[in-house]
Amino acid sequence: MLLNNDIGIDLGTSSVLVYCKNKGIVAQEPSVVTVDENTKEIVAIGEQARKMLGKTPTNIVAVRPLREGVVSNFEVTEKMIRYFIDKAIGTDWFKKPTVAVCVPSRVTDTEKMAVEQATKYAGAGRVHVIEEPVAAALGAGIDITKPCGSLVVDIGGGTTDIAVISLGGIVISTSVKIAGDNFNDAILTYISMERDILIGEGTAENLKVVIGTVSEKTPYAETKVSGINKNTKLPDTITVSTEEMYKAMKKTADDIVEAVIGVLENTPPELSADILERGIVLTGGGSLLEGISDLIEDRTGVKCVTADDPVKCVAIGAGKYLEYKEDEPQQPNFSIKSLFGFWE
Ligand SMILES: Nc1ncnc2c1ncn2[C@@H]1O[C@H](COP(=O)(O)OP(=O)(O)OP(=O)(O)O)[C@@H](O)[C@H]1O
Ligand SMILES: [Mg+2]
């Protein structure tokens, strides 16, 4: 029976990661749920649901319960969180888990409350809703308690969070709805407009990871991609190059860089000096995009460092956040099930 089962959850638009104290990352799956439209029952969650995408009968629909980082479907979000809590700590526990869950910076109080409620209904005891850049900074190993400015740029699937953090809090931040998904959309649109081939979201994602780039200096490479020819309406295969990827993706990358520059321009001078000395820290899956780090570095003149494990940073940071909070008095969230052996 688990006694200390506090967990940190990165409730991402693309994937959900769960960090458990003393165990590390215990779950990492896509934030996708498939629902039977006739019965409204959930069919599958996470990896199992992703595998079903595009291959299900028409009554089974895929839901991404978090759109652009916020709850778009409360009930499905709650069930998804329950699935991840159960997966992380099982159901045989003595005390309801304290959960730190992340939201993008600058979400509204109502949006924060929706995440908190969904997490509570999903079986959590105490819930700490923390802003994603704070967790990303902690996960990247930055000591956020010091009076020293750090600039974190977390490029996720739905949002890019940019924040200057000092003394444990956010001094200035922005959250733009331009991130990994937008690169996929840009690729999809480019291939449709310039090559007359319609490709799916998964194919665009694959292209991005394999030959995607936002740098002109990336060595030439090409790969084959299949879709539907808009003229013949039949399946077709074409060869796509890094040069085309650059053309397709550049504008989205520029929009992200503009947002970073906007935050830098509004950063108080003392903290700017710290950032210039320490550099910008990149986290999130989008920071793995070829050329993005160099692009931000070239345009801002500030050195960029990609965190060691950028995809796991937020979940690890959420878990570490609970360690800071450990001293606070706990509510007695005992599970009736654990005491008497039946459900509450
Ligand atoms: N090697 C890679 N190259 C380019 N992009 C990548 C790579 N690996 C992951 N990504 C992208 O990173 C994004 C997911 O990142 P991450 O897991 O940090 O997002 P998230 O936390 O779920 O989203 P958000 O923070 O916006 O809610 C996806 O768009 C994915 O395509
Ligand atoms: Mg994220």
Side-chain angles (χ1 to χ4, degrees):
M1 187 184 287
L2 270 174
L3 288 174
N4 190 344
N5 49 10
D6 297 348
I7 53 178
I9 303 181
D10 173 6
L11 201 57
T13 311
S14 303
S15 51
V16 177
L17 281 87
V18 186
Y19 175 91
C20 203
K21 213 174 160 187
N22 305 325
K23 286 201 219 160
I25 299 290
V26 289
Q28 178 173 12
E29 294 189 41
S31 33
V32 181
V33 176
T34 42
V35 179
D36 185 329
E37 282 224 295
N38 298 338
T39 62
K40 303 288 174 215
E41 292 286 315
I42 288 180
V43 179
I45 298 175
E47 190 54 44
Q48 213 192 336
R50 188 191 63 82
K51 283 187 186 149
M52 295 168 81
L53 289 183
K55 297 170 190 168
T56 51
T58 45
N59 60 313
I60 310 283
V61 292
V63 181
R64 281 176 77 180
L66 299 145
R67 279 256 156 236
E68 293 160 346
V70 292
V71 174
S72 63
N73 185 325
F74 189 88
E75 206 182 319
V76 176
T77 304
E78 178 210 316
K79 296 218 166 98
M80 186 173 78
I81 298 173
R82 184 180 289 276
Y83 166 83
F84 281 102
I85 292 179
D86 288 353
K87 189 157 186 184
I89 59 168
T91 50
D92 186 20
W93 33 259
F94 183 67
K95 176 179 140 289
K96 283 187 176 182
T98 297
V99 178
V101 60
C102 298
V103 290
S105 59
R106 306 182 76 84
V107 297
T108 63
D109 285 346
T110 315
E111 287 167 339
K112 258 189 198 169
M113 222 166 0
V115 171
E116 186 178 344
Q117 284 300 323
T119 313
K120 281 214 162 130
Y121 288 176
R126 285 188 93 187
V127 178
H128 298 273
V129 180
I130 53 176
E131 289 175 292
E132 209 168 347
V134 174
L138 278 168
I142 297 170
D143 183 354
I144 61 164
T145 58
K146 289 199 173 139
C148 184
S150 300
L151 177 57
V152 177
V153 177
D154 180 79
I155 309 173
T159 58
T160 294
D161 282 273
I162 305 154
V164 175
I165 298 162
S166 179
L167 282 172
I170 292 178
V171 180
I172 171 168
S173 73
T174 190
S175 179
V176 290
K177 295 180 191 325
I178 311 164
D181 290 349
N182 300 75
F183 286 112
N184 295 356
D185 290 345
I187 293 169
L188 221 128
T189 307
Y190 179 92
I191 303 285
S192 167
M193 303 302 282
E194 302 295 325
R195 304 295 303 271
D196 282 347
I197 299 285
L198 299 174
I199 57 168
E201 220 180 296
T203 308
E205 163 88 20
N206 206 36
L207 265 178
K208 175 180 73 178
V209 173
V210 176
I211 59 161
T213 181
V214 293
S215 164
E216 271 179 311
K217 296 181 203 142
T218 301
Y220 183 89
E222 54 183 38
T223 190
K224 288 198 183 333
V225 57
S226 299
I228 301 290
N229 188 308
K230 277 163 72 178
N231 305 314
T232 64
K233 312 271 187 274
L234 292 171
D236 199 357
T237 300
I238 54 166
T239 301
V240 181
S241 70
T242 37
E243 285 167 3
E244 289 176 288
M245 286 294 98
Y246 174 73
K247 280 187 205 154
M249 299 168 78
K250 181 72 171 52
K251 164 82 174 68
T252 307
D254 282 343
D255 290 346
I256 291 176
V257 173
E258 283 308 317
V260 176
I261 290 172
V263 169
L264 277 171
E265 281 173 352
N266 289 296
T267 301
E270 280 79 9
L271 296 177
S272 293
D274 293 341
I275 293 163
L276 201 57
E277 195 186 314
R278 297 156 65 109
I280 297 171
V281 178
L282 298 184
T283 63
S287 69
L288 293 167
L289 182 62
E290 174 69 27
I292 191 82
S293 168
D294 290 346
L295 182 73
I296 298 174
E297 192 164 312
D298 289 349
R299 294 275 306 279
T300 59
V302 184
K303 128 180 134 238
C304 280
V305 187
T306 306
D308 279 347
D309 204 341
V311 177
K312 293 181 181 156
C313 266
V314 170
I316 295 171
K320 282 190 180 171
Y321 179 88
L322 291 175
E323 288 163 25
Y324 281 102
K325 291 272 158 191
E326 237 168 22
D327 302 339
E328 288 186 4
Q330 302 281 307
Q331 288 167 343
N333 282 311
F334 297 112
S335 152
I336 304 287
K337 181 196 171 203
S338 65
L339 294 174
F340 302 110
F342 54 81
W343 275 111
E344 301 171 58

